[in-house]
Amino acid sequence: MPRRRIGFWYRFAAVLCKPPLVVLIKRDWRGMEHIPAEGGFITAVNHNSHVDPFAYAHYQYNTGRVPRFLAKSGLFKKGFVGAAMRGTGQIPVYRETTDALSAFRAAIDAVERGECVAFYPEGTITRDPNQWPMTGKTGAARVALTTKCPVIPVAQWGANELLPPYAKKPNLRPRKTHHVLAGPPVDLSRFYDKEMTPDLLKEATEVIMAAITRQLEEIRGEKAPETPYDPRRERIEQRRRTHEQKLVQERAEQEEGQGT
């Protein structure tokens, strides 16, 4: 696979990050043949550890197609971190905008320039109790349908064993293995040239997340839950349970008061 121009900042970041990653984790990397050699594309990746962006970036760097991650725009204004974010070509997301398409304009531009844009569609580390991918947000689908670029589903597992979700201390021994499996492009053609309604974007996102989950099932050698964990649904359910418990408590207090 031909190696594109990477640039000083990305090579500098690799010099800093690759040695500790090589020491800390072994590698089981598959599916690089599915990474396009030319042209813009999206990778859609599951997220289960604060370490996995670095581990996944290492994988993607070694394909010769470096990833451009989406990050909060504020990070681009902060000293050395901001200089590194700008220098490595990461993509600012301006969350203050009310126009969803404008928020991803830079990602669309990057794809149209022939770059690889990496999305974590879940938007945060998974909250699924068994660390399966959650329901996804629609940004990756929106950019994919706007540009009609390939969407490569990528599953990873192992960085979460080094640093479990939301943990503060790494688990260094025994040495962990970072498994990555990239799959063939997700077929989104049936969504092309249609009005990008919320329902259509949701359906396209579900197709992307299902592809990521299939890749992770192959890595883990087991089946994922039939229904992905939905943080929004869980919050609603938690509020319902809290409300019911409050009603039960109030009823008990009323009955106790009537008995005195």
Side-chain angles (χ1 to χ4, degrees), residues 21-33:
L21 288 170
V22 169
V23 170
L24 290 172
I25 50 179
K26 297 178 285 187
R27 290 170 288 172
D28 171 30
W29 290 351
R30 293 176 284 156
M32 287 187 179
E33 68 274 12

Side-chain angles (χ1 to χ4, degrees), residues 218-257:
E218 185 170 339
I219 290 174
R220 295 177 61 172
E222 55 185 301
K223 293 293 292 181
E226 189 169 325
T227 302
Y229 182 90
D230 185 340
R232 181 175 178 274
R233 184 174 60 234
E234 181 61 26
R235 286 194 297 270
I236 293 172
E237 181 62 22
Q238 180 60 46
R239 285 197 294 267
R240 184 191 64 79
R241 290 194 295 265
T242 301
H243 180 65
E244 288 181 350
Q245 290 170 359
K246 183 178 179 181
L247 291 177
V248 169
Q249 182 178 355
E250 289 175 350
R251 190 177 300 117
E253 290 174 352
Q254 288 173 357
E255 292 174 352
E256 183 179 349

Side-chain angles (χ1 to χ4, degrees), residues 80-126:
F80 177 81
V81 171
M85 297 290 282
R86 295 189 300 271
T88 55
Q90 308 313 311
I91 299 170
V93 175
Y94 299 95
R95 293 182 177 179
E96 62 271 17
T97 179
T98 57
D99 183 341
L101 188 56
S102 294
F104 295 103
R105 184 71 251 176
I108 292 168
D109 291 344
V111 169
E112 291 177 344
R113 288 196 307 270
E115 300 282 3
C116 164
V117 177
F119 274 88
Y120 282 104
E122 296 161 279
T124 187
I125 292 174
T126 182

